[in-house]
Amino acid sequence: MRRLVHELIPPGACKTLNSAAIYANNEVDLAEVDIYGFDYDYTLALYSNALNTMIYNQARTFLIEHFKYPEEISKYEYVPNFAVRGLHYDIQKGLLMKIDAFHYIQRGTVYRGLSPLSDEEVLDLYGGTFHIPLHEDSGFYGKGPRVKQFMDIFSIPEMTLLAVANDFFITNDIEYDPVHLFKDISVTIGMVHLKGFMYKWVMQDLGEFDLTDAVLHRLVSQGKKLFLITNSPFSFVDKGMTHMAGKKWRDFFDVVIVQADKPHFFTDCVKPFRRLDDNGDLRWEKIKSLDKGQIYKQGNLYDFLRLTGWRGSKVLYFGDHLYSDLADLMLRHGWRTAAIVPELEHETKVVSTNRYALSLTWLQALTGLLEQLQVHKDQESKQVFREWQQERDELRAMIKNLYNPQFGSIFRTGHNPTYFSRRLCRFSDIYMASLSCLLNYDLSYTFYPRRTPLQHEAPLWMDQLSADAQFKQ
Ligand SMILES: [Mg+2]
């Protein structure tokens, strides 16, 4: 049977995925887009994984020196590739986990400290179910009362430090309150940002700058208008952009807004724009227009729309944070949205391997066989059914490990999309690994989503066989 699976995969099929591609959830015609907007961190500026280690180390130091946590925690080095983005964290129980689009925990992905919990332990802790109710889940912006979703790329070191500190207390049998730990670590990560450490490291760590420069050049040379809305301070953006696009980077943009306080920027209509002068000092004048070459702080989207007139689907906004950058634009304001998902680079590589194609094809075939075999109630069939079911479980675990041994793919839990994935489909028209993917397309290109069949629209060969089998009974 497995040999047959080999023959089912056409030659060269495994090399068709390209991490430089742009993927569409919704049809977008670039010819209709006149105005391109951008977030800054992880959208225009990409940072390497080295930053995660530095954030982790500094936050760990704050935890010990500022919050007086035990010195021994300093022995725990950063664990690369432990956590992935989009995970949920149960604040009271101190558990990190992956949840699917239907709010079910994926088995084998619940971690207390650095160790996984068994299914039985999870059921025990959650009243006999793997389901996390919506009201506990995460709220609209991932900040539920008991469970938080980590959506920021910066949150990878935060999750790792949480896992490590929990691990320290558990393995040393020291009583502690996971709620205090969660809050304290959240503050230490904030301190790394506020005290300017991160900004200093980022200056030494900027990568792919020539590509960002090339994207901006291309858009401007074809008559597009550009704007920037970031939560970062001007001095930081100025240094980074100068590094990436030269001293005259401001010439690319028609409007530049810093410290915008997203996502509130998109929902509040109270904070007015303020202008920063050339020294970076705030001016007191009322803002009546948003002018090229000037830098504005705070403000809100309602004033932005009123002053620029940039409305509807002629605007395409790029951001990496599904909630802070994209959700409100999609739900309230009707701009087109593009998500930057750097994890696509690794994940499309995994999907493009022979091993993955083989395992997934066999998994699908095995699932079809199970579907048919279940109607046979004799002892021998039941025994084979159990064996196949076990093989299916092993196969699913193996496929999960190809992405990340702890948590698997950020897009999939077994057959289902993840919670993250569902939000990605809901809030972004198109998504891509990095902004530079745009260089591979003409600016009049239309992105068409693939028509994937809904469940009732997809008659599979096994469905037909299974229907035939039932008619014969
Ligand atoms: Mg960002």
Side-chain angles (χ1 to χ4, degrees):
M1 188 71 183
R2 272 177 180 261
R3 269 209 7 243
L4 211 142
V5 169
H6 264 293
E7 288 160 20
L8 282 174
I9 303 168
C14 302
K15 295 180 180 62
T16 49
L17 264 188
N18 176 2
S19 65
I22 293 179
Y23 302 97
N25 292 319
N26 194 12
E27 192 170 312
V28 173
D29 179 2
L30 288 185
E32 287 179 10
V33 178
D34 299 327
I35 304 137
Y36 285 73
F38 304 95
D39 165 51
Y40 179 72
D41 293 291
Y42 283 106
T43 298
L44 287 177
L46 294 182
Y47 310 125
S48 75
N49 287 336
L51 192 63
N52 287 342
T53 312
M54 293 191 271
I55 295 173
Y56 171 92
N57 287 344
Q58 191 58 52
R60 188 188 54 188
T61 303
F62 285 142
L63 195 65
I64 294 162
E65 288 178 2
H66 183 86
F67 285 101
K68 315 290 180 214
Y69 276 73
E71 178 70 39
E72 290 93 319
I73 293 177
S74 65
K75 291 188 188 125
Y76 284 81
E77 293 300 332
Y78 181 64
V79 191
N81 303 322
F82 174 75
V84 298
R85 198 151 61 109
L87 295 178
H88 283 73
Y89 184 75
D90 188 317
I91 297 165
Q92 274 151 2
K93 297 185 175 79
L95 302 175
L96 204 53
M97 66 188 79
K98 195 168 105 187
I99 296 181
D100 75 8
F102 302 96
H103 304 203
Y104 281 88
I105 300 167
Q106 183 181 12
R107 294 176 192 207
T109 67
V110 181
Y111 275 72
R112 181 189 274 145
L114 296 166
S115 308
L117 293 190
S118 68
D119 289 349
E120 293 70 35
E121 285 173 294
V122 176
L123 287 173
D124 240 18
L125 286 165
Y126 288 97
T129 175
F130 285 101
H131 184 260
I132 304 283
L134 178 66
H135 64 273
E136 285 185 11
D137 233 16
S138 61
F140 192 74
Y141 291 112
K143 289 178 184 163
R146 292 172 57 178
V147 181
K148 177 197 159 99
Q149 189 186 15
F150 285 104
M151 288 297 269
D152 209 311
I153 303 175
F154 289 128
S155 61
I156 303 278
E158 183 172 357
M159 286 185 264
T160 311
L161 186 56
L162 270 170
V164 153
N166 277 310
D167 197 77
F168 166 78
F169 286 118
I170 295 160
T171 51
N172 290 288
D173 208 10
I174 300 170
E175 212 179 339
Y176 72 110
D177 190 329
V179 179
H180 296 331
L181 181 68
F182 171 77
K183 289 205 170 130
D184 293 345
I185 286 185
S186 171
V187 174
T188 61
I189 294 286
M191 285 165 73
V192 176
H193 288 70
L194 288 173
K195 288 184 180 273
F197 284 96
M198 206 200 71
Y199 296 143
K200 198 176 74 193
W201 301 323
V202 160
M203 290 301 131
Q204 303 153 3
D205 188 58
L206 283 166
E208 275 207 79
F209 52 86
D210 47 338
L211 292 178
T212 300
D213 187 38
V215 171
L216 300 178
H217 257 293
R218 189 150 167 266
L219 293 172
V220 169
S221 69
Q222 298 202 24
K224 306 297 181 188
K225 290 200 180 308
L226 270 54
F227 67 90
L228 175 64
I229 302 177
T230 173
N231 285 356
S232 287
F234 176 67
S235 58
F236 174 65
V237 176
D238 187 37
K239 280 186 198 139
M241 284 306 300
T242 304
H243 182 70
M244 290 187 285
K247 272 202 168 68
K248 295 196 162 183
W249 68 268
R250 281 153 71 169
D251 293 349
F252 284 123
F253 296 94
D254 291 85
V255 179
V256 176
I257 295 155
V258 297
Q259 289 172 286
D261 194 22
K262 293 179 284 183
H264 307 296
F265 180 87
F266 298 120
T267 51
D268 296 349
C269 10
V270 281
K271 268 189 225 151
F273 283 109
R274 294 193 77 163
R275 190 170 70 82
L276 293 176
D277 66 18
D278 288 343
N279 299 322
D281 295 326
L282 279 173
R283 304 289 304 177
W284 50 263
E285 297 96 338
K286 184 177 172 68
I287 300 299
K288 292 183 180 159
S289 60
L290 295 171
D291 301 324
K292 189 165 180 165
Q294 301 295 336
I295 305 296
Y296 299 94
K297 188 184 161 184
Q298 289 181 344
N300 64 80
L301 191 75
Y302 297 91
D303 284 351
F304 185 89
L305 296 175
R306 185 171 53 79
L307 295 169
T308 60
W310 294 343
R311 287 175 189 280
S313 55
K314 64 180 179 180
V315 188
L316 176 62
Y317 187 76
F318 291 76
D320 64 285
H321 200 298
L322 298 182
Y323 300 149
S324 297
D325 287 323
L326 307 181
D328 292 308
L329 290 174
M330 169 66 82
L331 296 170
R332 296 166 192 255
H333 302 294
W335 283 2
R336 308 312 296 272
T337 54
I340 304 295
V341 188
E343 292 90 341
L344 276 169
E345 199 176 336
H346 170 62
E347 298 232 355
T348 50
K349 257 185 210 145
V350 173
V351 174
S352 303
T353 57
N354 274 319
R355 192 173 177 202
Y356 176 86
L358 198 63
S359 308
L360 190 72
T361 313
W362 177 227
L363 179 67
Q364 294 288 78
L366 197 56
T367 308
L369 291 170
L370 279 167
E371 197 177 6
Q372 287 180 60
L373 188 62
Q374 64 181 329
V375 297
H376 298 277
K377 304 292 183 194
D378 59 286
Q379 283 311 313
E380 198 185 343
S381 300
K382 280 185 176 173
Q383 178 58 27
V384 174
F385 187 86
R386 280 192 292 272
E387 286 167 15
W388 284 357
Q389 217 170 19
Q390 163 118 19
E391 183 169 357
R392 183 172 180 258
D393 286 347
E394 287 165 7
L395 209 49
R396 290 172 81 155
M398 192 273 279
I399 291 172
K400 181 196 123 190
N401 290 350
L402 292 177
Y403 294 102
N404 172 292
Q406 290 75 238
F407 301 101
S409 163
I410 70 164
F411 301 102
R412 284 265 183 201
T413 62
H415 276 58
N416 290 339
T418 53
Y419 196 97
F420 174 88
S421 209
R422 190 173 217 176
R423 290 303 176 99
L424 177 69
C425 291
R426 181 97 170 82
F427 300 145
S428 68
D429 288 297
I430 52 175
Y431 63 104
M432 65 206 80
S434 79
L435 190 63
S436 60
C437 299
L438 204 55
L439 293 170
N440 304 322
Y441 298 87
D442 189 87
L443 291 184
S444 58
Y445 191 89
T446 301
F447 297 102
Y448 296 103
R450 284 202 184 79
R451 186 187 167 104
T452 46
L454 300 170
Q455 291 298 308
H456 66 280
E457 296 173 330
L460 300 173
W461 64 271
M462 64 269 282
D463 289 344
Q464 196 49 52
L465 282 180
S466 139
D468 289 350
Q470 282 186 10
F471 278 123
K472 279 178 199 155
Q473 275 180 6

